[in-house]
Amino acid sequence: MTDPALSAGTAALIGWRMRSLGLWAALPGAAATEQPDGAEQPDGAERVHAVAQGLLALQGQDWHASRWALGLRAPGTSDTDVREAFARGLVVRSWPMRGTIHVVPAEDIGWMQQATNHRVLPGAAKRRAVLGLDDESLARMTDVAVAALTGGRSLSRDELAEAWAEAGIEVQSAWRYHVVWWLCQNGLLVQGPSTDGGEPRLVLAEEWIRAPRALDGDEALAELAARFARGRGPVQDRDFAWWTGLPVTVARRGIAAAASERRLAPVEVDDARYWAEPALLDGPSTILTGDTAAAAGVPEVLLLPGFDEHLLGYTERSSVLAPEHFERIVPGRNGMFRATVVERGRVRGIWLRTPRAKATRIDAELFPGGGRLGARALRPHAAAWGAFQGVTAEIGSVGTVR
């Protein structure tokens, strides 16, 4: 049992979090490892599913970025493996909480929505009033959507809009997103296969998800708390409340339930109370560098996608991102998180990709005082991104922004 009086500093917090996030240590089932005699090696799609299980939910607004968030945590997988995980119903994209789209293990989406829907659905009626969408039209659009998808069929959003039009429903432009969200948020639909190379297509949840888990009440709250911390490292109760959209009092109840099951243990970081898996706190927290990092397989530099949980999973980010650089990551504080260059757990800048005829060019813009990262340090990580995408990637410019 971990000592409840354990205390640590910011460096340990970063080390624990990077390991929990699957950035410095493979999440269970995500690595391509030798199996015992007779055991079958998990394929790429299964390893992608293991990443989703480890994090429970990853930000999914940017379809391209979310695929790299999964792939970089399962080294050696490809974009094809990620799409295969969706095509096989191992992971789905939907709205589990906060009215924000995420990538979630297929088996977990239902109980998560049941635990959090009461925080977002009450506002839907007011939104429909603003849009001019009446209850009768919503009911007709729902019936048409369910009928069009029944029997294992899938539809893109455009194809669903065509089905509504063919049914004689005059759908106003602002209705479409709301109704797709409402159908997914209520657990009728999820985004599953990506058969046309585009974003995941809509499918009926009850047909698509073969083995849904059933959790409710405090059992669901405890599972949410334990799984959130397992994939983020030490977290505060306010992190959990923000992430789920639940009141802090309810979040604390979930943490207490998980702690009573010994799935969470407290740790003091700079005199603030955090919660983490006991096994994590018993393990290494050191930020490794140089030959030591290489020997342990810990990458000192990473090219993370936009919206990565490295930043999005927490309410307070100053341990890894200097506050004065926040608007360089989120220009104008518009909610759009840019792709980041991370060194030893800390954000050192941003990176951008530009597709070209022979190779995709990757340019980095580093923050002042962010160390001396250069093309040589970034080149292998650009190559890893290119291998995942199935393209050649090369480093272009690496400069410091003023």
Side-chain angles (χ1 to χ4, degrees):
M1 182 68 179
T2 302
D3 181 358
L6 180 67
S7 62
T10 300
L13 177 68
I14 293 172
W16 279 322
R17 284 181 168 179
M18 292 294 285
R19 289 172 173 85
S20 293
L21 287 162
L23 297 173
W24 281 357
L27 297 168
T33 57
E34 292 186 10
Q35 301 295 307
D37 291 344
E40 187 174 347
Q41 172 74 37
D43 62 24
E46 290 167 337
R47 294 201 286 127
V48 167
H49 177 236
V51 172
Q53 286 183 315
L55 293 180
L56 184 57
L58 300 84
Q59 293 278 331
Q61 299 98 313
D62 186 321
W63 172 228
H64 184 278
S66 64
R67 301 200 312 269
W68 177 228
L70 291 162
L72 73 88
R73 291 171 166 86
T77 59
S78 67
D79 190 58
T80 299
D81 293 319
V82 173
R83 291 181 184 274
E84 179 67 12
F86 279 87
R88 284 162 50 182
L90 299 176
V91 294
V92 296
R93 195 165 74 144
S94 192
W95 287 263
M97 62 224 166
R98 296 199 325 271
T100 303
I101 195 165
H102 286 75
V103 174
V104 186
E107 66 272 16
D108 290 315
I109 183 63
W111 69 265
M112 291 181 69
Q113 288 178 327
Q114 290 179 16
T116 61
N117 268 356
H118 65 283
R119 297 292 294 175
V120 292
L121 286 178
K126 293 181 180 179
R127 178 59 181 163
R128 288 195 292 274
V130 172
L131 298 175
L133 174 57
D134 58 84
D135 291 344
E136 181 181 353
S137 296
L138 176 63
R140 288 184 65 202
M141 293 173 76
T142 299
D143 290 342
V144 169
V146 171
L149 291 166
T150 296
R153 292 188 290 269
S154 68
L155 295 173
S156 68
R157 295 191 192 194
D158 287 342
E159 289 167 345
L160 179 56
E162 290 172 7
W164 286 329
E166 290 171 0
I169 304 173
E170 296 183 8
V171 179
Q172 298 181 23
S173 59
W175 292 5
R176 193 171 89 168
Y177 179 88
H178 177 83
V179 175
V180 169
W181 166 81
W182 190 88
L183 292 171
C184 289
Q185 189 76 66
N186 278 280
L188 294 173
L189 310 184
V190 292
Q191 295 182 29
S194 177
T195 56
D196 56 0
E199 294 200 356
R201 295 164 66 83
L202 296 163
V203 291
L204 282 180
E206 67 176 1
E207 291 184 352
W208 188 252
I209 300 174
R210 294 181 293 274
R213 299 183 67 202
L215 299 170
D216 57 22
D218 281 356
E219 183 183 17
L221 281 177
E223 180 76 358
L224 271 175
R227 295 277 295 279
F228 171 63
R230 187 176 82 183
R232 308 298 181 293
V235 294
Q236 295 184 283
D237 52 14
R238 63 181 181 178
D239 295 322
F240 181 49
W242 171 82
W243 189 75
T244 56
L246 297 172
V248 173
T249 53
V250 176
R252 288 172 178 164
R253 197 169 85 228
I255 289 172
S260 70
E261 297 172 358
R262 300 192 176 186
R263 298 177 69 185
L264 292 179
V267 57
E268 301 291 325
V269 180
D270 296 334
D271 298 322
R273 172 61 58 93
Y274 290 74
W275 296 88
E277 273 198 322
L280 175 73
L281 301 179
D282 289 336
S285 62
T286 308
I287 297 177
L288 303 178
T289 61
D291 292 341
T292 306
V298 172
E300 290 191 75
V301 179
L302 289 162
L303 297 180
L304 298 187
F307 295 99
D308 194 84
E309 294 296 315
H310 174 254
L311 285 180
L312 267 290
Y314 315 94
T315 57
E316 206 287 318
R317 304 172 178 118
S318 62
S319 62
V320 296
L321 175 64
E324 64 267 25
H325 298 320
F326 181 76
E327 289 209 19
R328 297 185 186 274
I329 304 298
V330 190
R333 297 180 180 266
N334 61 2
M336 302 299 291
F337 281 69
R338 304 173 76 180
T340 54
V341 178
V342 172
E343 182 189 28
R344 299 173 186 172
R346 292 181 168 88
V347 179
R348 299 303 192 193
I350 62 169
W351 63 280
L352 310 93
R353 56 187 175 85
T354 305
R356 295 189 172 185
K358 294 184 178 180
T360 296
R361 172 174 166 150
I362 291 179
D363 299 301
E365 298 177 0
L366 305 179
F367 302 148
R372 297 185 178 183
L373 289 175
R376 182 177 179 180
L378 300 181
R379 193 168 290 121
H381 306 286
W385 177 88
F388 172 79
Q389 300 291 345
V391 302
T392 300
E394 60 185 21
I395 294 293
S397 64
V398 180
T400 300
V401 295
R402 297 184 180 275

